[in-house]
Amino acid sequence: MASLQDPLGPVVGAKAAKRLAAALDLRTVGELLRHYPRRYENRGELTDLASLRDGEDVTVQAEIASVSVRKMRNRPGTILEAVVTDGRGRLSLTFFGRGRQDWREKVLQPGVRGLFAGQVSTFQGKRQLSHPDYELLGSGAAMIRAAEYAAELIPVYPATKDITSWQIADSVRMALDLLDVDDDPLPPAIRDRHGLIGLADALRGIHRPADHHDAERAKKRLKWDEAFVLQVILAQRRRAAIAFSATPRRQRPDGLLAEFDRRLPFELTVGQELAGATIADELALDHPMHRLLQGEVGSGKTVIAVRAMLQVVDGGGQAVLLAPTEVLAQQHYRSIGALLGPLAQAGQLGGADQATRLALLTGSLGAAARRKALLDAASGSAGIVIGTHALLQENVQFAELGLVVIDEQHRFGVEQRDALREKAGDGRPHVLVMTATPIPRTVAMTVFGDLEVSTLTELPAGRQAISTHVVPAAERPRYLERTWQRVTEEVAKGRQVYAVCPRIGGDEPAGPGAGPGHNGGAGRGRPDDDAAGLGTGDGQQPGGPEEDEARRPPLAVLDLAAELAPGPLADVRLAVLHGRLPPDEKDRVMLAFAGGSVDVLVTTTVVEVGVDVPNATTMVIMDADRFGVSQLHQLRGRVGRGSHEGLCLLVTEAEAGSQARQRLDAVAATLDGFKLSRLDLEQRREGDVLGAAQAGRKSSLKLLTLLADEDLIGLARRAATDLVDADPALADHRGLAAAVGALLEQQQAEFLEKA
Ligand code: ADP
Ligand code: MG
């Protein structure tokens, strides 16, 4: 008998165990049995050979059509070529031999069917597998095995060049024969309620299904494991967080918040009202709020944050607002200052009676300004402190930190959240996280599972329409000319324009893709530092690997500016902004643009999130196919924020009909950020989605897909929450406790590996 924790050696034999460890990093029975088949072949049904792609590692079922042997020209030895067929297409299998290959010729007989595994390549126009592994069906071991399974479905495993699908299948069979599961991680009550089979049955069912129905039942059960164990961990985390105490910050009828609401020049949207009310209630509790506020660019999250901060100040605490970049911190400082007016001018002429003060703390402050900001924070005279990572440093202290607001969560890790929390002294501060990358609910529940979620689904009234067009620069060079004309026209009307490039350019080290492109031959460099984050993923964007190789480096800000300034945009005031500029220079440029003394800003994605210049109406995105869908949507949200309609032009050289073009067409076709974020997620691997927050090389999610399994995840979350409420330490659930422990250990190991 073997349990899931047992090492593989004694179960599958030392040689196979070694190979599984080396090729696939599988070391225990459980790890092997969770290496699930990628798909199933119907026994006897041939693989569609036309669907194979170069470079793929494949296992195909096919019939041998012909075999020939010829002498090699330049060396001694022979080449045996077997042509296999699926009835329509053909595939060559080539074997090189030092001598004659009689023995091989004898078994590879026309008419014989088999499984063939190898990497697909094309040689002299013919699709081939060079030196494939094979196992013939209807003979020897395969025959015995087929009878033994009495199954129609042959599992096809993710394999590598060092191990074949059927070698894996052999080891799996041995492990299943000895398998003994005594502690099912899913409690019987939950299995009953949701119609789930036991773990051992499920593992047998997924590896050796009698039919597809069998495999589906197994899959459903195993998906539950993945969702449930993760949700149990998250439920425990939420519970632990609630166990901390926090100082309640209640609303006051005569406070700053009440005064702010009275002065607010617009009405809150229904969504803002609702989210605001939830937050207000949670701030008044004696344990810390942990809430994620998500909403489209421009949906008005900042106002909600300001109201929360004022409530905390009214309640005797301080609030910090952590922004991902210097530009955004400064902008928040200015715009919140403007929004609060006299309410933030304590001690100044014209300041309101109960007024507080704002402080700004960023890395680029001069020594004197920095000292003053630190003092304002430590003494408590600044009720609201706004800043960047600089806020996380040890010498930053607060008199009474009550609320941490984190803008654009995806740029900060959990550790940074914790670093800030610790500045609150005894109790813990309330935490509000804001993100403009709309995330489907299940992803939010999984990636940000220890946070409660509020969502703003509408934009404030009066927001301008934005029209988006794809500009096919390769097919229609005229359209690109027209683009710059259009920019000039906008400027003539007194409007402003962003032109965004994926890269900075200049002295970046030349990358492998370097070459004399029309942008001056600068190398392909890393995207702008400020541009990293969920929804970015540039460079790993969809688009086959073959597409990637031959690509020229993406267009660079410095090159584009150099081309436009003396040429198409000679008559406008142009400035350049990117993450490599010194911080004060960045601030100067951004201020100049915000103030209207710059017409066209050629920039990287530093303008991505949160930047607000209402007079900017046009956004030109160069090499738009190099950006992620969500990121394009966020960039587009920079325009149409004032009283004029927005225009977004997606310039691309991607061919019509290509995947890249389809993504751009999708962005042009809708302004619905949730729709686009789903599209974005569908095109990424699940692990990448989780990777942003969970950092997992070996994702624990193998079968579960966050988008397709929404219902299941919701059910698992509810079941997990109930169970953890009833049995927080999992004392009565040994199998579950073991599974939870194993997952935590894996996450921990990966975290350490990373650090
Ligand atoms: P985001 O969610 O992108 O952070 P902001 O909070 O920056 O959005 O809001 C964008 C703009 O809309 C700001 O100028 C803000 O003052 C304004 N705004 C916010 N809420 C409303 C509302 N209910 N009605 C009208 N304008 C609003
Ligand atoms: Mg914002």
Side-chain angles (χ1 to χ4, degrees):
M1 287 292 109
S3 79
L4 292 172
Q5 290 76 40
D6 285 355
L8 279 172
V11 177
V12 303
K15 205 171 138 206
K18 214 167 141 194
R19 185 158 43 203
L20 287 165
L24 296 166
D25 201 18
L26 303 174
R27 293 160 205 286
T28 65
V29 171
E31 284 171 6
L32 173 63
L33 293 181
R34 289 205 167 81
H35 187 73
Y36 301 127
R38 190 201 302 279
R39 61 193 165 85
Y40 305 94
E41 290 276 341
N42 285 312
R43 190 167 293 280
E45 204 171 276
L46 302 180
T47 311
D48 177 13
L49 295 180
S51 66
L52 305 182
R53 300 220 325 245
D54 270 10
E56 261 183 328
D57 282 305
V58 298
T59 300
V60 300
Q61 198 176 170
E63 182 172 315
I64 298 173
S66 65
V67 178
S68 62
V69 182
R70 62 177 190 275
K71 284 216 172 97
M72 275 195 264
R73 233 175 275 155
N74 308 324
R75 292 188 276 152
T78 56
I79 301 174
L80 182 148
E81 182 182 10
V83 176
V84 297
T85 173
D86 60 357
R88 281 156 297 162
R90 287 168 173 262
L91 183 68
S92 290
L93 315 178
T94 48
F95 300 90
F96 301 92
R98 269 201 213 113
R100 297 153 55 100
Q101 304 191 53
D102 294 350
W103 57 277
R104 211 191 300 268
E105 207 179 342
K106 207 170 290 164
V107 292
L108 296 178
Q109 297 268 347
V112 170
R113 290 184 169 196
L115 294 169
F116 305 93
Q119 198 180 56
V120 182
S121 58
T122 301
F123 183 67
Q124 297 186 339
K126 277 195 290 192
R127 276 290 164 77
Q128 68 166 18
L129 303 181
S130 180
H131 254 283
D133 288 290
Y134 55 85
E135 183 164 84
L136 302 176
L137 299 172
S139 70
M143 177 89 114
I144 299 167
R145 211 166 292 138
E148 192 178 278
Y149 292 162
E152 284 302 304
L153 297 178
I154 304 172
V156 176
Y157 290 95
T160 73
K161 65 179 181 6
D162 298 319
I163 192 164
T164 64
S165 176
W166 55 86
Q167 283 169 334
I168 298 169
D170 278 348
S171 294
V172 165
R173 183 171 46 85
M174 290 185 239
L176 285 177
D177 286 346
L178 292 174
L179 181 64
D180 180 27
V181 176
D182 51 358
D183 274 321
D184 193 321
L186 277 189
I190 291 177
R191 289 200 322 252
D192 285 350
R193 169 138 18 106
H194 299 284
L196 304 170
I197 57 177
L199 180 57
D201 287 341
L203 291 171
R204 291 204 175 86
I206 196 157
H207 289 288
R208 289 197 224 170
D211 51 33
H212 282 291
H213 174 69
D214 225 21
E216 280 312 308
R217 241 180 9 165
K219 218 165 140 182
K220 178 177 166 197
R221 149 71 212 227
L222 295 168
K223 277 184 182 180
W224 255 86
D225 281 5
E226 293 177 5
F228 187 68
V229 172
L230 193 56
Q231 291 300 337
V232 165
I233 291 175
L234 295 172
Q236 284 181 319
R237 252 181 229 164
R238 283 197 300 274
R239 223 187 133 78
I242 285 176
F244 284 98
S245 65
T247 308
R249 313 286 176 181
R250 297 196 182 83
Q251 296 204 45
R252 284 203 346 233
D254 58 342
L256 278 171
L257 174 55
E259 184 57 29
F260 176 79
D261 283 346
R262 263 194 294 281
R263 293 161 177 262
L264 201 61
F266 46 73
E267 294 221 352
L268 295 177
T269 64
V270 175
Q272 282 174 320
E273 290 277 6
L274 285 175
T278 308
I279 291 168
D281 288 348
E282 288 180 348
L283 292 174
L285 299 177
D286 59 5
H287 54 80
M289 168 178 85
H290 290 115
R291 186 160 285 277
L292 174 72
L293 175 62
Q294 58 169 342
E296 286 275 356
V297 167
S299 58
K301 296 181 294 293
T302 312
V303 178
I304 297 183
V306 169
R307 294 186 70 251
M309 294 195 284
L310 291 176
Q311 181 173 333
V312 168
V313 173
D314 283 341
Q318 291 168 285
V320 304
L321 172 58
L322 188 58
T325 64
E326 187 112 2
V327 170
L328 283 175
Q330 308 227 7
Q331 180 184 289
H332 272 313
Y333 180 69
R334 281 192 300 270
S335 67
I336 291 175
L339 212 49
L340 291 176
L343 300 181
Q345 295 166 357
Q348 290 176 49
L349 209 59
D353 284 346
Q354 75 277 55
T356 186
R357 281 227 302 268
L358 292 188
L360 175 69
L361 190 67
T362 66
S364 67
L365 284 189
R370 181 176 171 76
R371 211 171 311 122
K372 173 142 190 350
L374 285 173
L375 194 65
D376 279 355
S379 69
S381 69
I384 295 178
V385 182
I386 297 167
T388 55
H389 287 81
L391 283 171
L392 302 174
Q393 285 160 12
E394 261 164 44
N395 61 352
V396 180
Q397 286 169 353
F398 298 91
E400 174 76 30
L401 181 57
L403 171 66
V404 175
V405 179
I406 301 179
D407 197 9
E408 309 309 343
Q409 152 76 11
H410 56 273
R411 307 218 174 160
F412 293 104
V414 174
E415 305 87 53
Q416 282 156 323
R417 250 196 263 157
D418 288 346
L420 259 180
R421 270 182 196 162
E422 273 153 26
K423 295 186 184 293
D426 298 341
R428 290 211 155 189
H430 301 281
V431 176
L432 177 65
V433 174
M434 302 194 290
T435 172
T437 307
I439 316 169
R441 233 192 120 58
T442 46
V443 179
M445 285 193 315
T446 312
V447 178
F448 301 112
D450 58 341
L451 302 173
E452 307 290 340
V453 181
S454 293
T455 303
L456 298 178
T457 50
E458 67 201 316
L459 296 180
R463 199 45 56 79
Q464 295 301 315
I466 305 174
S467 55
T468 307
H469 304 279
V470 176
V471 179
E475 297 143 54
R476 305 283 174 90
R478 281 274 307 135
Y479 284 19
L480 186 56
E481 275 171 48
R482 178 75 194 111
T483 297
W484 301 124
Q485 272 168 20
R486 184 69 203 264
V487 165
T488 321
E489 289 162 18
E490 284 296 312
V491 172
K493 279 191 264 175
R495 314 280 149 68
Q496 289 164 283
V497 178
Y498 298 98
V500 176
C501 292
R503 201 166 59 90
I504 301 174
D507 58 358
E508 282 167 299
H518 81 268
N519 58 348
R524 164 202 272 179
R526 281 158 40 76
D528 197 338
D529 270 353
D530 288 343
L534 186 77
T536 315
D538 301 320
Q540 297 105 269
Q541 272 310 303
E546 69 275 38
E547 222 175 300
D548 235 41
E549 291 307 315
R551 274 171 132 189
R552 63 165 169 74
L555 289 176
V557 164
L558 298 179
D559 299 325
L560 183 70
E563 209 174 294
L564 294 177
L569 299 188
D571 299 330
V572 312
R573 295 167 300 174
L574 194 132
V576 159
L577 179 72
H578 57 74
R580 237 171 34 223
L581 292 177
D584 52 339
E585 173 71 3
K586 246 190 284 185
D587 193 38
R588 199 188 56 73
V589 173
M590 205 53 229
L591 267 176
F593 189 66
S597 60
V598 164
D599 303 314
V600 176
L601 190 64
V602 183
T603 175
T604 56
T605 51
V606 280
V607 297
E608 180 187 350
V609 200
V611 169
D612 195 10
V613 179
N615 190 46
T617 53
T618 304
M619 163 77 54
V620 181
I621 304 178
M622 305 302 292
D623 274 345
D625 49 292
R626 312 273 181 139
F627 296 92
V629 166
S630 294
Q631 200 182 18
L632 289 171
H633 180 60
Q634 292 205 344
L635 281 169
R636 167 169 66 183
R638 304 292 112 230
V639 297
R641 294 172 79 97
S643 48
H644 307 290
E645 249 184 53
L647 173 67
C648 174
L649 299 172
L650 306 173
V651 179
T652 179
E653 291 184 1
E655 280 167 37
S658 65
Q659 220 194 28
R661 267 290 274 285
Q662 285 170 15
R663 285 193 297 129
L664 297 182
D665 289 340
V667 174
T670 181
L671 285 171
D672 182 337
F674 279 88
K675 222 172 173 178
L676 290 173
S677 89
R678 285 191 82 96
L679 185 84
D680 209 7
L681 291 170
E682 277 161 16
Q683 298 186 341
R684 290 155 181 271
R685 290 197 350 271
E686 222 67 36
D688 296 342
V689 176
L690 291 176
Q694 280 208 328
R697 184 172 45 85
K698 240 191 200 176
S699 169
S700 62
L701 302 192
K702 297 196 161 130
L703 297 172
L704 198 68
T705 55
L706 297 179
L707 294 176
D709 295 315
E710 280 189 69
D711 294 349
L712 193 158
I713 293 171
L715 293 173
R717 181 177 172 96
R718 226 162 299 142
T721 309
D722 290 347
L723 187 140
V724 169
D725 279 345
D727 180 13
L730 309 180
D732 300 331
H733 296 90
R734 274 191 15 207
L736 180 59
V740 163
L743 183 55
L744 286 175
E745 205 171 288
Q746 184 195 321
Q747 285 180 351
Q748 185 68 18
E750 276 162 22
F751 180 73
L752 291 177
E753 217 168 277
K754 224 180 48 167

